[in-house]
Amino acid sequence: MKLRSPRALAVLIGTAAVFAALGTTASTAQPAQQSLPKVVTDWACAWNGTDPQELGNLFTANATYTDQGLGVTFTGRQQISGWKARTDSLIDNVHVTVNAAHRDGNHITIEAVYAGHIKGAPKPFAVPMATLLDLNGPQITSDQDYYAINRVLAQSGLPADWTPPTP
């Protein structure tokens, strides 16, 4: 991964510190009296909703969405909406719970919990996640989600080499 600035490196180091502080168990508590940027609440609502286009509509036409846990990148609203649809088809009750968000100009860092129940898995999962958003006005130009896929699989009771079925 190529970092674009020293600020990005600082954000990633901070994210690692958050993960270390969270330990192995993720909390699903909502932030206490914190005012979140509108794009963050819209982003969380879109992930927690059932209409994949709601997520895609938050992005610019040529935006990128990178799921760092799986190492995949999608470009444009249609592909991003498609990723949400695919996620919904594989994970029951997929949702994010935002614990905090920090804004620095057009950059937002989100601390959250990513949770759901992989279809066919013995147990649900809830893992810490950090998301880096870059904005152009009110729209997202880049979304990078960071979480540990090995934790998702372990909590779900799936083997480390499990792969989702192909559509």
Side-chain angles (χ1 to χ4, degrees):
M1 176 178 71
K2 183 177 177 185
L3 297 177
R4 291 181 271 181
S5 69
R7 183 196 161 281
L9 181 58
V11 168
L12 289 177
I13 291 169
T15 300
V18 168
F19 283 164
L22 287 172
T24 59
T25 303
S27 167
T28 58
Q30 287 289 78
Q33 306 297 331
Q34 181 185 6
S35 176
L36 298 172
K38 182 176 180 346
V39 69
V40 173
T41 56
D42 290 348
W43 173 86
C45 286
W47 265 114
N48 297 340
T50 58
D51 181 358
Q53 298 235 331
E54 284 184 27
L55 182 66
N57 289 339
L58 297 174
F59 291 80
T60 60
N62 61 346
T64 59
Y65 172 92
T66 303
D67 182 318
Q68 297 288 354
L70 295 175
V72 294
T73 298
F74 304 93
T75 302
R77 293 182 187 120
Q78 185 175 2
Q79 285 186 9
I80 293 166
S81 295
W83 180 242
K84 165 68 169 140
R86 172 98 167 117
T87 300
D88 288 347
S89 74
L90 293 172
I91 303 173
D92 287 328
N93 193 31
V94 65
H95 61 281
V96 297
T97 302
V98 175
N99 292 326
H102 310 280
R103 186 171 194 152
D104 180 14
N106 289 329
H107 309 284
I108 298 176
T109 303
I110 302 169
E111 299 168 28
V113 174
Y114 173 48
H117 193 146
I118 297 172
K119 291 180 180 179
K123 301 178 287 187
F125 67 89
V127 298
M129 177 176 77
T131 296
L132 305 178
L133 299 179
D134 289 325
L135 306 175
N136 181 1
Q139 290 191 297
I140 302 168
T141 60
S142 172
D143 176 321
Q144 295 187 63
D145 289 348
Y146 294 85
Y147 61 93
I149 188 64
N150 61 333
R151 280 188 172 176
V152 170
L153 295 175
Q155 285 185 19
S156 296
L158 295 170
D161 62 349
W162 181 87
T163 57
T166 55

